[in-house]
């Protein structure tokens, strides 16, 4: 399953790359919506192994585009200072991973593993709204 997730992630990276170059905001909106939908579907699927496998592959496909789309958005936001923008992107990405692990662990300990899926879905859908409403840095 990890191999499948990785292959789907590479495919998602290439699929999102071309779109992100033209429209990072729209690409990130679509990726966030897909991630939120996958996490919500995983919560609803329960312990179904076939559904879980399919959703894991879809998650890999969607998540594969995150880094390339974010990088495109950061570079579009600061075309005259790309080095600083990309450095900030890496820092925020690492901080998000750390906070996600911390908060996910706290939720799992306090409630259940499924609460992590719901929290992740809520955060992804909130990111979808932020990206959709930003209205900046897209080419026509």
């Amino acid at each position: 399953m990890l191999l499948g997730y990785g292959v789907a992630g590479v495919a998602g990276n290439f699929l999102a790359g071309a779109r992100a170059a033209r429209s990072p905001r729209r690409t990130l909106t679509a990726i966030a919506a897909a991630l939120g939908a996958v996490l919500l579907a995983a919560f609803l699927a329960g312990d179904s192994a076939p559904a879980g496998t399919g959703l894991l592959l879809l998650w890999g496909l969607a998540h594969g585009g995150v880094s390339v789309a974010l990088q495109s958005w950061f570079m579009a936001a600061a075309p005259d200072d790309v080095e600083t923008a990309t450095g900030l992107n890496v820092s925020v990405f690492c901080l998000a991973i750390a906070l996600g692990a911390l908060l996910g662990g706290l939720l799992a300990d306090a409630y259940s593993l499924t609460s992590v899926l719901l929290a992740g879905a809520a955060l992804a859908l909130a990111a979808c709204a932020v990206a959709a409403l930003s209205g900046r840095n897209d080419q026509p």
Side-chain angles (χ1 to χ4, degrees):
M1 286 178 54
L2 183 58
L3 176 63
Y5 179 88
V7 169
V10 170
N13 189 283
F14 282 104
L15 289 172
R19 289 192 65 205
R22 289 187 312 274
S23 178
R25 179 184 59 86
R26 287 188 196 112
T27 304
L28 283 168
T29 300
I31 289 170
L35 288 170
V38 166
L39 290 170
L40 186 57
F43 171 78
L44 296 173
D47 60 358
S48 168
T53 300
L55 290 168
L56 181 71
L57 295 175
L58 289 174
W59 183 10
L61 183 68
H63 193 266
V66 170
S67 59
V68 70
L70 281 173
Q71 193 77 347
S72 294
W73 201 4
F74 272 70
M75 289 190 305
D80 297 329
D81 200 4
V82 171
E83 293 82 9
T84 301
T86 56
L88 181 61
N89 180 37
V90 171
S91 297
V92 170
F93 204 87
C94 290
L95 180 63
I97 291 170
L99 287 174
L102 173 66
L103 297 176
L106 292 172
L107 276 173
D109 286 346
Y111 299 101
S112 67
L113 288 176
T114 56
S115 67
V116 177
L117 294 172
L118 287 177
L123 289 170
L125 295 174
C128 178
V130 168
L133 296 174
S134 72
R136 296 180 54 191
N137 302 324
D138 273 353
Q139 298 174 5

